[in-house]
Coordinates of all heavy atoms in Angstrom, one line a residue:
Y1 N 22.6 9.5 67.3 CA 24.0 9.3 67.3 C 24.3 8.1 68.3 O 25.1 7.1 68.1 CB 24.8 10.5 67.7 CG 26.3 10.3 67.9 CD1 27.2 10.3 66.8 CD2 26.8 10.0 69.2 CE1 28.5 10.1 67.1 CE2 28.1 9.9 69.4 CZ 29.0 9.9 68.3 OH 30.4 9.7 68.5
K2 N 23.7 8.2 69.5 CA 24.0 7.1 70.5 C 23.3 5.8 70.1 O 24.0 4.7 70.2 CB 23.3 7.6 71.8 CG 23.9 8.7 72.6 CD 23.5 8.8 73.9 CE 22.0 9.0 74.1 NZ 21.5 9.1 75.5
K3 N 22.2 5.8 69.4 CA 21.6 4.6 69.0 C 22.4 4.0 67.9 O 22.5 2.7 67.7 CB 20.2 4.9 68.5 CG 19.3 3.6 68.2 CD 17.9 4.0 67.8 CE 17.1 2.8 67.4 NZ 15.7 3.2 67.1
D4 N 22.8 4.8 66.8 CA 23.7 4.3 65.7 C 23.1 3.2 65.0 O 23.7 2.1 64.8 CB 25.1 4.0 66.2 CG 26.1 3.8 65.1 OD1 25.9 4.5 64.1 OD2 27.1 3.1 65.3
S5 N 21.8 3.3 64.6 CA 21.1 2.2 63.8 C 20.4 2.9 62.7 O 19.5 3.7 62.8 CB 20.1 1.5 64.7 OG 19.4 0.6 64.0
H6 N 20.8 2.6 61.4 CA 20.3 3.2 60.3 C 20.0 2.2 59.2 O 20.6 1.1 59.1 CB 21.2 4.2 59.7 CG 21.7 5.2 60.8 ND1 21.0 6.3 61.2 CD2 22.9 5.3 61.5 CE1 21.6 7.0 62.1 NE2 22.7 6.4 62.3
E7 N 19.0 2.5 58.3 CA 18.7 1.7 57.2 C 19.4 2.2 55.9 O 19.1 3.3 55.4 CB 17.2 1.7 56.9 CG 16.4 1.0 58.1 CD 14.9 0.9 57.7 OE1 14.6 1.2 56.6 OE2 14.2 0.6 58.6
F8 N 20.5 1.5 55.5 CA 21.3 1.9 54.4 C 20.7 1.4 53.1 O 20.0 0.4 53.0 CB 22.7 1.4 54.6 CG 23.4 1.9 55.7 CD1 23.6 1.1 56.8 CD2 24.0 3.2 55.7 CE1 24.3 1.5 58.0 CE2 24.7 3.6 56.9 CZ 24.8 2.8 58.0
V9 N 20.9 2.3 52.0 CA 20.3 1.9 50.7 C 21.3 0.9 50.0 O 22.5 0.9 50.4 CB 20.0 3.1 49.8 CG1 19.0 4.0 50.5 CG2 21.3 3.9 49.6
G10 N 20.8 0.3 49.0 CA 21.7 -0.6 48.2 C 22.5 0.2 47.3 O 22.4 1.4 47.1
A11 N 23.4 -0.5 46.6 CA 24.4 0.1 45.7 C 23.7 0.9 44.6 O 24.1 2.0 44.2 CB 25.3 -0.9 45.1
L12 N 22.5 0.4 44.1 CA 21.9 1.0 43.0 C 21.0 2.2 43.4 O 20.6 3.0 42.6 CB 21.0 -0.1 42.2 CG 21.8 -1.2 41.6 CD1 20.7 -2.1 40.9 CD2 22.8 -0.7 40.6
A13 N 20.8 2.3 44.7 CA 20.0 3.4 45.2 C 20.8 4.5 46.0 O 20.3 5.4 46.5 CB 18.9 2.9 46.1
A14 N 22.2 4.3 45.9 CA 23.0 5.2 46.7 C 22.9 6.7 46.1 O 22.6 6.9 45.0 CB 24.5 4.8 46.6
G15 N 23.0 7.6 47.0 CA 22.9 9.0 46.6 C 24.1 9.5 45.8 O 25.1 8.7 45.7
T16 N 24.0 10.6 45.2 CA 25.1 11.1 44.3 C 25.7 12.3 44.9 O 25.2 13.0 45.9 CB 24.5 11.6 42.9 OG1 23.5 12.6 43.1 CG2 23.9 10.3 42.2
I17 N 26.9 12.6 44.5 CA 27.7 13.8 45.0 C 27.8 14.8 43.8 O 28.3 14.4 42.7 CB 29.0 13.4 45.6 CG1 28.9 12.6 46.8 CG2 29.8 14.8 45.9 CD1 30.2 12.1 47.4
T18 N 27.3 16.0 44.0 CA 27.4 17.0 42.9 C 28.1 18.2 43.5 O 28.1 18.5 44.7 CB 26.0 17.4 42.3 OG1 25.2 17.9 43.4 CG2 25.3 16.2 41.8
Q19 N 28.6 19.1 42.7 CA 29.2 20.3 43.1 C 28.4 21.5 42.7 O 27.9 21.5 41.6 CB 30.7 20.4 42.6 CG 31.6 19.4 43.1 CD 33.1 19.7 42.6 OE1 33.3 20.1 41.4 NE2 34.1 19.4 43.5
Y20 N 28.4 22.5 43.6 CA 27.7 23.8 43.2 C 28.8 24.8 43.3 O 29.4 25.1 44.4 CB 26.5 24.1 44.2 CG 25.9 25.4 43.8 CD1 25.1 25.4 42.6 CD2 25.9 26.5 44.6 CE1 24.5 26.6 42.2 CE2 25.2 27.7 44.3 CZ 24.5 27.7 43.1 OH 23.9 28.9 42.7
E21 N 29.1 25.5 42.3 CA 30.3 26.3 42.2 C 30.0 27.8 42.3 O 30.9 28.7 42.2 CB 31.1 26.0 40.9 CG 31.6 24.6 40.8 CD 32.4 24.3 39.6 OE1 32.3 25.2 38.6 OE2 33.0 23.3 39.5
R22 N 28.7 28.1 42.4 CA 28.4 29.6 42.4 C 28.1 30.1 43.8 O 27.6 31.3 44.0 CB 27.1 29.8 41.5 CG 27.4 29.8 40.0 CD 26.3 30.5 39.2 NE 25.9 31.7 39.8 CZ 26.4 32.9 39.6 NH1 27.5 32.9 38.8 NH2 26.0 34.0 40.1
A23 N 28.2 29.3 44.8 CA 27.8 29.6 46.2 C 28.5 30.9 46.6 O 27.9 31.8 47.2 CB 28.1 28.5 47.1
T24 N 29.8 31.0 46.4 CA 30.5 32.3 46.8 C 30.1 33.5 46.1 O 29.8 34.6 46.7 CB 32.0 32.0 46.7 OG1 32.5 31.0 47.6 CG2 32.8 33.4 47.0
S25 N 29.9 33.4 44.8 CA 29.4 34.5 44.0 C 28.0 34.9 44.3 O 27.7 36.1 44.4 CB 29.7 34.3 42.5 OG 28.9 33.2 42.1
D26 N 27.2 33.9 44.6 CA 25.8 34.1 45.0 C 25.9 35.0 46.4 O 25.1 36.0 46.5 CB 25.1 32.9 45.3 CG 24.7 32.1 44.1 OD1 24.8 32.6 43.0 OD2 24.4 30.9 44.2
H27 N 26.7 34.6 47.2 CA 26.8 35.3 48.5 C 27.3 36.8 48.3 O 26.7 37.7 48.9 CB 27.9 34.6 49.4 CG 27.9 35.0 50.8 ND1 28.7 34.4 51.8 CD2 27.3 36.0 51.5 CE1 28.6 34.9 52.9 NE2 27.8 35.9 52.8
I28 N 28.2 37.0 47.5 CA 28.7 38.3 47.2 C 27.6 39.2 46.6 O 27.3 40.3 47.0 CB 30.0 38.3 46.3 CG1 31.1 37.7 47.1 CG2 30.3 39.7 45.8 CD1 32.4 37.5 46.2
D29 N 26.9 38.6 45.6 CA 25.9 39.4 44.9 C 24.8 39.7 45.9 O 24.2 40.8 45.8 CB 25.3 38.5 43.8 CG 26.3 38.3 42.6 OD1 27.3 39.1 42.6 OD2 26.0 37.4 41.8

């Protein structure tokens, strides 16, 4: 955090965002 130096990926290599909707029901089960 203090150094704040990172190697960012290009636009074609950017990560994706997905949703997981069963986490709460998994917890209950």
Side-chain angles (χ1 to χ4, degrees):
Y1 175 85
K2 289 195 301 180
K3 185 177 180 182
D4 194 26
S5 176
H6 307 281
E7 294 184 9
F8 298 100
V9 298
L12 298 181
T16 59
I17 298 178
T18 60
Q19 291 186 324
Y20 183 67
E21 299 179 350
R22 284 195 49 82
T24 293
S25 58
D26 288 344
H27 190 173
I28 292 174
D29 291 345

